[in-house]
Amino acid sequence: MSEENKHRATAAAILPLVGGAANVTSVAHCMTRLRLGLRDRSLVQEEALTALPAVMGVVDDDTYQIVLGPGAVARVTPEFEALVAAERAAAPERPAAPAAPAGGSDPVSAEELAAQGDALRAERKARNATPFKLFLRRIANIFVPLIPALIGCGIIAGLNGLLVNLGRLPGLTPALAAIASGFMALIAVFVGYNTAKEFGGTPILGGAVASIIVYAKVADVEAFGQHLSPGQGGVLGALAAACLGVYVEKRCRRWVPESVDVLVTPTVTVLVSGLATLFGLMFLAGEVSSWIGDAADWLLAHGGAGAGLLLGGLFLPLVMLGLHQALIPIHTTLIEGAGFTVLLPILAMAGAGQVGAALAIYLRLSRNTSIRTTIKSALWPGFLGVGEPLIYGVSLPLGRPFVTACAGGAFGGAFVGLFNQLGTDVGSTAIGPSGWALFPLLDGSHGLARTIAVYAAGLLVGYVAGFVATYWFGFTKTMLAELNVAPDAPAPASPAPVATEERVRERV
């Protein structure tokens, strides 16, 4: 089967399992996930969906997210959109197909763990629907579409740096530098465009206001007793400027007569927001951006190992709470200022802990072929930084192994943080990838070879620490008696209770 036919087949298999085209309200994708807006999530046949070979896992959040992995999701999404459009055109009135009734499952099988993961996701989603966390998701929606360009330009920048260091192809390296730097020079414009789009304004007006920040002639403007610099305030200034533009635009739409709206509203929006940006927001956002960079440098220079321990150990719980989205503009600000973010390689150690924990679970539950099969299918995506299948399908439902996996991430983060403290910065020129997929994006203060060596050693520490912690402390005797049996073996004398977070805490 050709690649095109394979992705079309995947899309065709997914569509009926999410309730058909009539149940789909929106389609989008990020780096690894197909994100669907669904009218009725009870129509999703999740057990059959997760059984598809191309599906690595699902996440039930503000959108229904199907994990397909990097590369595949960008090819499946347009096929899925085409199928949705075709089905709606053929039978727009057809109701969505009902979900198949869920059957029973063995209490110690991978299906049981998946059910427990589903219950935990539902509880987490209910807790995460707070105004603050919903706001963070909107901020993430602004920056996530920029990730492919950040990755592509970051890899080109790394290749260019390698060629420069080796003294190779001197006629090509200036061109590669221009290709790699062009997007970052104008990233504020894209942030402004996405901000206006996300908050209900006219996207091009958001981009127009944000473009003021990168215009070279802003150096002639004086604010707060000093001349501005092109790019001052960066993505934070663009975010604030576009938000102000949306507010001004909405006020104008409310009061300006329709006959002159097309002339007055864009003019007033750009003028008012532009003046506020030049004489206030650029300076203030520049100060905040500088503070973020200085704070990150100070944190890792003075408490690198301890900071790495906390960041690596707590990152996955932050993801569970939806608070990790607050880090996206911080990463982008660091990349814009220093050329790389020193936080991402430390946070990537959380995935290494999960991989190490999964290997330990695989050995400890030697008789449970169902769970071992799940681990085998999810392990390689885990090495590449796609951790959802391991988290939601294995470690989180088991409870205690999730905690020991976080411990592995903490040790890996402490290792990388220690080298930052000793003066060897380990950074990433883009956000999004993790695990082995982060190697092409690495950059640092002491050459690429040392940066790669430290990051690779950090991953190894995370793998080993996650494995050791889970193998020796990840299971109680009761858990082993309950879980380390073949799927077709008789259930334990005491039946497994319904999956809740209280049950997970009991296992911890």
Side-chain angles (χ1 to χ4, degrees), residues 201-228:
T202 301
I204 198 64
L205 292 180
V209 173
S211 67
I212 298 169
I213 292 174
V214 297
Y215 179 54
K217 290 293 185 177
V218 297
D220 297 333
V221 180
E222 184 175 332
F224 296 95
Q226 58 183 271
H227 286 278
L228 298 174

Short mmCIF file of all heavy atoms in Angstrom, two decimals, residues 201-228:
data_model
loop_
_atom_site.label_atom_id
_atom_site.label_comp_id
_atom_site.label_asym_id
_atom_site.label_seq_id
_atom_site.Cartn_x
_atom_site.Cartn_y
_atom_site.Cartn_z
N GLY A 201 -10.67 38.64 16.77
CA GLY A 201 -10.46 39.84 15.98
C GLY A 201 -10.15 39.50 14.53
O GLY A 201 -10.24 38.34 14.11
N THR A 202 -9.79 40.50 13.76
CA THR A 202 -9.38 40.28 12.38
C THR A 202 -7.90 39.93 12.36
O THR A 202 -7.07 40.75 12.76
CB THR A 202 -9.63 41.55 11.54
OG1 THR A 202 -11.02 41.89 11.60
CG2 THR A 202 -9.23 41.32 10.09
N PRO A 203 -7.54 38.72 11.92
CA PRO A 203 -6.14 38.27 12.03
C PRO A 203 -5.13 39.21 11.40
O PRO A 203 -4.08 39.49 11.99
CB PRO A 203 -6.16 36.91 11.34
CG PRO A 203 -7.56 36.41 11.49
CD PRO A 203 -8.42 37.65 11.41
N ILE A 204 -5.45 39.75 10.21
CA ILE A 204 -4.46 40.58 9.53
C ILE A 204 -4.21 41.88 10.28
O ILE A 204 -3.10 42.44 10.24
CB ILE A 204 -4.90 40.85 8.08
CG1 ILE A 204 -3.70 41.33 7.24
CG2 ILE A 204 -6.04 41.85 8.02
CD1 ILE A 204 -2.62 40.30 7.08
N LEU A 205 -5.22 42.38 11.01
CA LEU A 205 -5.00 43.58 11.82
C LEU A 205 -4.09 43.26 13.01
O LEU A 205 -3.25 44.09 13.39
CB LEU A 205 -6.34 44.14 12.32
CG LEU A 205 -7.26 44.74 11.25
CD1 LEU A 205 -8.54 45.27 11.89
CD2 LEU A 205 -6.54 45.85 10.49
N GLY A 206 -4.25 42.08 13.58
CA GLY A 206 -3.33 41.67 14.64
C GLY A 206 -1.91 41.59 14.13
O GLY A 206 -0.96 42.03 14.81
N GLY A 207 -1.73 41.04 12.93
CA GLY A 207 -0.40 40.98 12.35
C GLY A 207 0.15 42.35 12.03
O GLY A 207 1.35 42.61 12.20
N ALA A 208 -0.71 43.26 11.58
CA ALA A 208 -0.27 44.61 11.25
C ALA A 208 0.23 45.36 12.48
O ALA A 208 1.27 46.04 12.44
CB ALA A 208 -1.42 45.38 10.60
N VAL A 209 -0.50 45.24 13.58
CA VAL A 209 -0.07 45.90 14.82
C VAL A 209 1.23 45.30 15.33
O VAL A 209 2.15 46.02 15.73
CB VAL A 209 -1.19 45.80 15.88
CG1 VAL A 209 -0.70 46.33 17.21
CG2 VAL A 209 -2.44 46.55 15.43
N ALA A 210 1.33 43.96 15.30
CA ALA A 210 2.53 43.30 15.80
C ALA A 210 3.74 43.59 14.92
O ALA A 210 4.89 43.61 15.41
CB ALA A 210 2.30 41.80 15.88
N SER A 211 3.52 43.86 13.64
CA SER A 211 4.66 44.11 12.73
C SER A 211 5.40 45.38 13.10
O SER A 211 6.57 45.55 12.72
CB SER A 211 4.17 44.19 11.29
OG SER A 211 3.34 45.33 11.08
N ILE A 212 4.76 46.29 13.82
CA ILE A 212 5.42 47.51 14.26
C ILE A 212 6.66 47.18 15.08
O ILE A 212 7.68 47.87 15.00
CB ILE A 212 4.44 48.38 15.07
CG1 ILE A 212 3.24 48.79 14.20
CG2 ILE A 212 5.12 49.58 15.68
CD1 ILE A 212 2.11 49.43 14.99
N ILE A 213 6.56 46.09 15.85
CA ILE A 213 7.64 45.73 16.77
C ILE A 213 8.93 45.42 16.02
O ILE A 213 10.03 45.72 16.50
CB ILE A 213 7.19 44.53 17.64
CG1 ILE A 213 6.07 44.98 18.59
CG2 ILE A 213 8.36 43.94 18.43
CD1 ILE A 213 5.46 43.86 19.38
N VAL A 214 8.83 44.81 14.84
CA VAL A 214 10.03 44.39 14.12
C VAL A 214 10.43 45.39 13.03
O VAL A 214 11.41 45.16 12.32
CB VAL A 214 9.83 42.99 13.50
CG1 VAL A 214 9.62 41.96 14.58
CG2 VAL A 214 8.67 42.98 12.52
N TYR A 215 9.72 46.48 12.88
CA TYR A 215 10.04 47.48 11.86
C TYR A 215 11.33 48.21 12.25
O TYR A 215 11.50 48.67 13.38
CB TYR A 215 8.89 48.47 11.72
CG TYR A 215 9.13 49.56 10.70
CD1 TYR A 215 9.47 49.26 9.40
CD2 TYR A 215 9.01 50.90 11.06
CE1 TYR A 215 9.68 50.26 8.45
CE2 TYR A 215 9.21 51.91 10.14
CZ TYR A 215 9.56 51.58 8.83
OH TYR A 215 9.77 52.58 7.91
N ALA A 216 12.26 48.33 11.31
CA ALA A 216 13.59 48.88 11.61
C ALA A 216 13.54 50.32 12.12
O ALA A 216 14.34 50.72 12.97
CB ALA A 216 14.47 48.78 10.37
N LYS A 217 12.58 51.13 11.61
CA LYS A 217 12.54 52.54 11.95
C LYS A 217 12.02 52.82 13.35
O LYS A 217 11.97 53.99 13.77
CB LYS A 217 11.68 53.29 10.93
CG LYS A 217 12.30 53.40 9.55
CD LYS A 217 13.54 54.29 9.56
CE LYS A 217 14.09 54.49 8.17
NZ LYS A 217 15.24 55.41 8.16
N VAL A 218 11.63 51.78 14.09
CA VAL A 218 11.22 52.06 15.48
C VAL A 218 12.41 52.56 16.29
O VAL A 218 12.25 53.13 17.38
CB VAL A 218 10.61 50.82 16.17
CG1 VAL A 218 9.35 50.37 15.48
CG2 VAL A 218 11.62 49.68 16.27
N ALA A 219 13.61 52.38 15.77
CA ALA A 219 14.80 52.91 16.45
C ALA A 219 14.78 54.43 16.55
O ALA A 219 15.50 55.01 17.36
CB ALA A 219 16.06 52.43 15.73
N ASP A 220 13.96 55.08 15.73
CA ASP A 220 13.85 56.54 15.78
C ASP A 220 12.84 57.00 16.84
O ASP A 220 12.72 58.21 17.09
CB ASP A 220 13.42 57.08 14.41
CG ASP A 220 14.44 56.79 13.33
OD1 ASP A 220 15.63 56.65 13.67
OD2 ASP A 220 14.04 56.68 12.14
N VAL A 221 12.12 56.08 17.43
CA VAL A 221 11.09 56.42 18.41
C VAL A 221 11.69 56.35 19.81
O VAL A 221 12.40 55.40 20.15
CB VAL A 221 9.89 55.46 18.30
CG1 VAL A 221 8.83 55.82 19.34
CG2 VAL A 221 9.30 55.51 16.89
N GLU A 222 11.38 57.35 20.63
CA GLU A 222 11.89 57.39 22.00
C GLU A 222 10.74 57.18 22.97
O GLU A 222 9.69 57.82 22.88
CB GLU A 222 12.57 58.73 22.28
CG GLU A 222 13.23 58.80 23.66
CD GLU A 222 14.00 60.09 23.85
OE1 GLU A 222 14.49 60.65 22.84
OE2 GLU A 222 14.11 60.55 25.00
N ALA A 223 10.91 56.26 23.89
CA ALA A 223 9.91 55.98 24.93
C ALA A 223 10.61 55.74 26.25
O ALA A 223 11.64 55.05 26.31
CB ALA A 223 9.07 54.76 24.54
N PHE A 224 10.07 56.34 27.31
CA PHE A 224 10.64 56.20 28.65
C PHE A 224 12.10 56.64 28.69
O PHE A 224 12.94 56.03 29.36
CB PHE A 224 10.50 54.77 29.17
CG PHE A 224 9.07 54.33 29.36
CD1 PHE A 224 8.42 53.63 28.35
CD2 PHE A 224 8.39 54.62 30.53
CE1 PHE A 224 7.10 53.24 28.51
CE2 PHE A 224 7.07 54.23 30.70
CZ PHE A 224 6.41 53.54 29.69
N GLY A 225 12.41 57.68 27.92
CA GLY A 225 13.75 58.25 27.96
C GLY A 225 14.80 57.50 27.18
O GLY A 225 15.99 57.83 27.30
N GLN A 226 14.42 56.53 26.37
CA GLN A 226 15.41 55.80 25.58
C GLN A 226 14.82 55.41 24.24
O GLN A 226 13.60 55.25 24.10
CB GLN A 226 15.90 54.56 26.33
CG GLN A 226 14.80 53.58 26.70
CD GLN A 226 15.31 52.41 27.50
OE1 GLN A 226 15.72 51.40 26.94
NE2 GLN A 226 15.31 52.55 28.82
N HIS A 227 15.70 55.26 23.25
CA HIS A 227 15.25 54.86 21.92
C HIS A 227 14.90 53.38 21.92
O HIS A 227 15.58 52.56 22.54
CB HIS A 227 16.33 55.16 20.87
CG HIS A 227 16.46 56.61 20.55
ND1 HIS A 227 15.62 57.25 19.65
CD2 HIS A 227 17.30 57.57 21.03
CE1 HIS A 227 15.96 58.52 19.56
NE2 HIS A 227 16.97 58.75 20.39
N LEU A 228 13.84 53.04 21.20
CA LEU A 228 13.44 51.65 21.08
C LEU A 228 14.38 50.91 20.13
O LEU A 228 15.07 51.52 19.32
CB LEU A 228 12.01 51.55 20.55
CG LEU A 228 10.92 52.17 21.43
CD1 LEU A 228 9.56 52.12 20.72
CD2 LEU A 228 10.82 51.44 22.78
#
